[in-house]
Amino acid sequence: MAQFEPFQDRITQAGSLLYVAAEKRGGLFKPEKFLLEHPVSFPFLLDEDRKVTKEYGVYHRLGFDAIHIARPSSFVIDTSGIIRFLHMGASQTDRAPVEQVLAALANAK
């Protein structure tokens, strides 16, 4: 999330952004507490039952660095619902290059 916050104006001009976390409200990482301490500019969805992450194919049941969460992923979806950009991280530290996401968002208009 932190990687996109500095680009709030560019994102808002090109479209919108939604953060999704495969986390329970009272889960290990305490998302409510985190968001109080680190507010974000865009809507935040807790995917407590992992339905969204499973539907989009980014659910990660078990791995070296993950258990029952989502792979870090960035999607750009146009107004017709077509995925125009997808980056699914190979590990929990693999994030989409911000400039690629912003360019895809600008081109998806």
Side-chain angles (χ1 to χ4, degrees):
M1 293 182 304
Q3 68 187 18
F4 292 109
E5 286 298 310
F7 302 98
Q8 177 184 0
D9 291 339
R10 283 177 64 186
I11 293 167
T12 303
Q13 288 172 359
S16 61
L17 177 71
L18 170 67
Y19 296 120
V20 179
E23 176 72 34
K24 295 209 178 281
R25 189 168 305 283
L28 178 66
F29 296 105
K30 309 289 185 246
E32 289 176 318
K33 181 181 178 191
F34 177 84
L35 289 172
L36 285 173
E37 295 172 359
H38 305 88
V40 293
S41 306
F42 301 99
F44 188 93
L45 170 70
L46 285 176
D47 185 19
E48 294 188 82
D49 61 2
R50 311 315 195 255
K51 182 177 180 179
V52 173
T53 56
K54 288 175 182 175
E55 290 280 330
Y56 277 86
V58 298
Y59 177 71
H60 194 184
R61 174 111 178 103
L62 182 63
F64 177 72
D65 61 348
I67 298 173
H68 194 50
I69 61 175
R71 297 180 189 277
S73 304
S74 296
F75 292 84
V76 172
I77 303 171
D78 71 14
T79 56
S80 300
I82 297 171
I83 297 172
R84 299 294 180 179
F85 174 87
L86 166 61
H87 175 91
M88 185 178 353
S91 71
Q92 289 302 306
T93 58
D94 182 11
R95 303 288 192 264
V98 174
E99 285 301 325
Q100 285 184 13
V101 175
L102 294 173
L105 184 59
N107 290 331
K109 279 183 127 179

